[in-house]
Amino acid sequence: MTPVQLAIVTLLAPLASAAVIALFLRRAGGLASAVSVLAATLIAGAALMLALGNFRFEAAHEWFQLGGLSLSLGIKFDDLAALMLSVVGVVGWCIHVFSLGYMRDDPAHARYFGGLSIFMFSMVGIVLADNLFMLFIFWELVGFSSYLLIGHWHEKQSASDAAKKAFIVNRVGDFGFLLGIVMCYWSNGTVNLTALSSHHVFSMLIPLLLFCGAVGKSAQLPLQIWLPDAMEGPTPVSALIHAATMVAAGIYMLCRINVLMVPDALTVIMWTGTATALYAALCAITQSDIKKVLAYSTLSQLGFMVAAFGLGPTQFIYDNFSDPKIGMLLMQTGVGAAMFHLSTHAFFKALLFLGSGSVIHGCHHEQDIFKMGGLRTKMPLTFWTFTIGVAAIIGFPYLAGFFSKDAILYLAYANNRTVFAVLAFTAILTSLYMVRLWKLTFLGAPRSDHAAHAHEGGFTLTAPLVILAVLSVLGGYTSLYPKVFTGVFSLIPEAEGSAHTVIVLTSLAVMLIGAVGAFALYRPAATDSLAQKSPGLFGALTALKESFDAVYDYYVAKVQQRFAMLLNFLEQIFLSGLIVRGLAGVAGLFGLGARALHVGNLNVYVYWFLGGLTLFWACAAGLL
């Protein structure tokens, strides 16, 4: 089997799985889960074979041609795609295995695994796409499949509302993305990623319109409101969407279109990511739902990645040509830092989400961290693996998050000290709310019957935690990776000399300040210590969290709904009334008049003939 054929099989295997489940296995949950896990295993295995085999290739087939417009379906498998496909394949497989135990008793077992398969098909399509049109097709399929998975428990009104909210909010960003694709084709005559890298029109508008898609998928301000509500879906879905796949697709897309970036667009992207990182970290402090703490943590870490991308290629180097497009070199350190953190974040965030799923399963679906406690002894494997995930995300030395976070901090330190200060403060908040979550969940005495009777899950619930814990430890050591991702990892910025000292000391300081603050402020109790000691600050942070939803609710109710009512009124009066019914009435009158003329009397017809002849003569003579 050639590499191209293997890539096609990787793409089509989950689609075939979803089709088989939908057509034949809707009432056979056990068999459906086996088929879906088999497809996920094939994806992970094929992804590693393609990546580690150092296969790098491009292949395309023309889909259709309309005049000068030609659309193709193709595969672009370079180091960037190899890294992303490996991460998606490995993490996706772990989530599939975890789902075997977590969703065993769910009555819609088969539908759930069918949704996982169609989601994996969509994600693999995004990774392999060689042009923006093809990427957009799979981009929309990801939105559709995430709608199905978030709303899996659609009988719950909150889950149904969350699925609709995610779908609608993403369509807002995707509209801008589509406009960017159209404008890119209109300006360059192509949307092929390889062709754009060698020749393209420099524009600020094109990359910013394309960035709208990332704002929606990666939940950046102001379209971040859908992601916390998406926690209404099953916990493995939360891990799949919020770890290495859907939300990371926006970061991957930005790295794909890096060649289109100009400094002004990158500045906007940088500040969007920085603001999102800080906003989400502030919101996470007041959360009591274990999954929503992790959801806001995901928002914040995605902000780090977006900021890293915006900080990177900020310098153009030109040769002495009259045309500045010739000889341009982009400094791509932002791509390296963003993808490095995307990879490590995929491991430890998937670990944290699946760890929270293990906790929820063990506590009989209790999600309030203030009703937990004492789980360290009752769920020891979950405790230690979750501890590794927390240590990795707060930047504990020599774990995966330590290296990738330092790369972003150094990039900010070198390019924009204000952004560096904001991200460093955000890192303090990350350490604060994650240690708070860990302490309230696992330490102290059980604070509810569910926590008192908690228990460890079976093999399918614990094995993925061990695998992801190992990756959360080793995933930051790029020297351990086979030399097949050098096209990405060689772009990671490395601090030297005094800058290295500053970054290491800063990283250690922010971790310790946040962790010590959490231990000092919070105690294992049934109430939030911050709400008791500083109700004003707690209320302000809660209001910050709710402010965006309040603004959108006001806009929908007071502006959009009233505008829709106005359009409906105008449609009823003018379109349906005046134009449709009015013209129908006039036509009816003419019809009645014409029908009255057909009386069946020859004398009357002779008179009409003479009258018409007279009128014709008057017109011919110029009298009329």
Side-chain angles (χ1 to χ4, degrees):
M1 184 179 293
T2 66
V4 174
Q5 291 172 333
L6 183 58
I8 293 174
V9 170
T10 307
L11 174 64
L12 296 182
L15 177 62
S17 169
V20 169
I21 292 172
L23 295 175
F24 307 110
L25 304 177
R26 295 172 63 183
R27 299 184 183 277
L31 189 56
S33 62
V35 171
S36 182
V37 172
L38 179 63
T41 304
L42 192 153
I43 293 172
L48 294 176
M49 287 176 59
L50 288 169
L52 302 181
N54 207 21
F55 297 111
R56 302 296 182 264
F57 54 89
E58 293 186 35
H61 176 73
E62 186 174 272
W63 183 20
F64 76 90
Q65 186 169 2
L66 182 63
L69 175 63
S70 177
L71 297 181
S72 64
L73 298 178
I75 296 173
K76 180 180 175 68
F77 195 77
D78 54 4
D79 283 357
L80 184 63
L83 176 61
M84 187 68 180
L85 188 62
S86 299
V87 171
V88 170
V90 171
V91 175
W93 179 81
C94 289
I95 292 169
H96 273 74
V97 173
F98 186 88
S99 298
L100 289 175
Y102 193 87
M103 301 296 291
R104 179 180 291 114
D105 298 326
D106 190 276
H109 202 62
R111 175 162 55 84
Y112 170 81
F113 278 95
L116 288 186
S117 290
I118 196 68
F119 185 93
M120 292 297 288
F121 165 68
S122 307
M123 274 305 306
V124 173
I126 287 178
V127 174
L128 296 180
D130 76 334
N131 65 83
L132 292 177
F133 279 130
M134 180 178 172
L135 193 151
F136 184 77
I137 293 171
F138 286 102
W139 192 270
E140 294 304 296
L141 283 174
V142 164
F144 165 72
S145 52
S146 65
Y147 166 79
L148 295 179
L149 291 171
I150 294 170
H152 175 72
W153 292 321
H154 56 82
E155 63 276 3
K156 291 171 53 182
Q157 187 62 43
S158 56
S160 179
D161 291 342
K164 289 185 288 186
K165 186 175 185 179
F167 189 83
I168 293 170
V169 172
N170 273 275
R171 298 293 74 71
V172 175
D174 292 353
F175 179 68
F177 186 29
L178 181 60
L179 291 179
I181 294 173
V182 172
M183 186 173 179
C184 182
Y185 185 86
W186 179 69
S187 301
N188 298 288
T190 182
V191 289
N192 182 274
L193 297 170
T194 302
L196 289 172
S197 64
S198 59
H199 173 77
H200 63 272
V201 175
F202 295 103
S203 166
M204 177 180 176
L205 184 58
I206 292 175
L208 286 182
L209 285 173
L210 295 174
F211 176 58
C212 289
V215 169
K217 279 288 185 290
S218 294
Q220 299 296 288
L221 290 172
L223 299 181
Q224 83 291 349
I225 57 172
W226 68 268
L227 192 142
D229 290 357
M231 296 299 102
E232 292 292 338
T235 301
V237 169
S238 302
L240 187 67
I241 291 177
H242 303 135
T245 51
M246 178 177 171
V247 294
I251 311 300
Y252 176 77
M253 185 268 288
L254 287 177
C255 295
R256 269 290 187 228
I257 62 169
N258 177 55
V259 294
L260 298 175
M261 293 296 163
V262 296
D264 289 341
L266 288 165
T267 300
V268 174
I269 293 172
M270 175 190 70
W271 283 112
T272 300
T274 303
T276 302
L278 178 59
Y279 163 82
L282 290 170
C283 292
I285 296 173
T286 62
Q287 297 299 309
S288 59
D289 186 311
I290 186 172
K291 288 172 64 177
K292 287 197 174 182
V293 175
L294 297 178
Y296 279 106
S297 170
T298 300
L299 275 176
S300 186
Q301 297 304 306
L302 289 169
F304 268 87
M305 298 175 210
V306 172
F309 178 84
L311 282 163
T314 56
Q315 187 177 10
F316 288 84
I317 300 176
Y318 298 98
D319 290 337
N320 294 321
F321 291 96
S322 58
D323 185 355
K325 290 181 291 186
I326 301 177
M328 185 198 75
L329 176 64
L330 278 170
M331 308 300 290
Q332 296 179 325
T333 51
V335 172
M339 286 301 299
F340 187 28
H341 197 54
L342 183 153
S343 303
T344 60
H345 175 264
F347 301 141
F348 58 70
K349 186 52 63 67
L351 171 60
L352 289 169
F353 266 114
L354 294 186
S356 72
S358 180
V359 168
I360 293 168
H361 185 270
C363 292
H364 306 281
H365 298 281
E366 177 60 67
Q367 296 185 199
D368 189 342
I369 59 177
F370 292 101
K371 296 180 181 179
M372 294 180 182
L375 301 183
R376 179 177 63 86
T377 56
K378 296 182 178 300
M379 305 180 68
L381 192 146
T382 299
F383 167 71
W384 286 112
T385 55
F386 198 92
T387 301
I388 291 173
V390 171
I393 195 174
I394 68 175
F396 193 86
Y398 304 112
L399 298 186
F402 173 78
F403 297 104
S404 59
K405 184 186 69 176
D406 279 11
I408 296 175
L409 289 177
Y410 169 64
L411 201 57
Y413 181 78
N415 290 351
N416 193 306
R417 296 294 173 86
T418 303
V419 172
F420 171 74
V422 174
L423 293 182
F425 178 67
T426 302
I428 294 176
L429 298 178
T430 301
S431 182
L432 175 69
Y433 66 70
M434 287 306 302
V435 173
R436 165 187 178 264
L437 169 66
W438 173 80
K439 185 177 181 180
L440 292 173
T441 301
F442 292 100
L443 303 187
R447 296 184 294 276
S448 69
D449 290 338
H450 292 318
H453 297 91
H455 57 86
E456 199 75 81
F459 177 78
T460 57
L461 289 174
T462 54
L465 300 182
V466 175
I467 295 172
L468 290 169
V470 172
L471 292 173
S472 297
V473 174
L474 302 178
Y477 293 89
T478 56
S479 59
L480 297 179
Y481 287 82
K483 302 298 182 181
V484 294
F485 302 124
T486 54
V488 179
F489 289 151
S490 63
L491 303 174
I492 299 172
E494 296 183 3
E496 298 178 354
S498 60
H500 175 73
T501 304
V502 170
I503 297 304
V504 171
L505 291 178
T506 300
S507 181
L508 293 175
V510 298
M511 181 196 68
L512 290 174
I513 292 172
V516 171
F519 268 101
L521 179 61
Y522 296 98
R523 56 186 178 83
T527 57
D528 195 306
S529 300
L530 181 62
Q532 290 182 324
K533 295 179 180 180
S534 183
L537 176 60
F538 188 87
L541 294 177
T542 303
L544 176 67
K545 174 181 71 71
E546 297 172 351
S547 59
F548 277 89
D549 277 325
V551 170
Y552 282 119
D553 288 343
Y554 178 86
Y555 165 77
V556 171
K558 302 298 183 181
V559 179
Q560 181 174 294
Q561 189 64 20
R562 292 184 179 182
F563 182 66
M565 291 172 64
L566 174 62
L567 291 180
N568 181 66
F569 173 77
L570 295 177
E571 188 272 337
Q572 293 292 330
I573 296 299
F574 292 101
L575 185 60
S576 297
L578 182 61
I579 297 178
V580 176
R581 292 189 180 92
L583 292 179
V586 173
L589 290 175
F590 275 105
L592 289 174
R595 187 172 62 182
L597 299 179
H598 293 77
V599 296
N601 190 320
L602 181 61
N603 294 332
V604 173
Y605 293 154
V606 171
Y607 287 128
W608 281 115
F609 173 76
L610 293 175
L613 186 62
T614 304
L615 184 62
F616 175 77
W617 173 80
C619 291
L623 299 178
L624 294 177

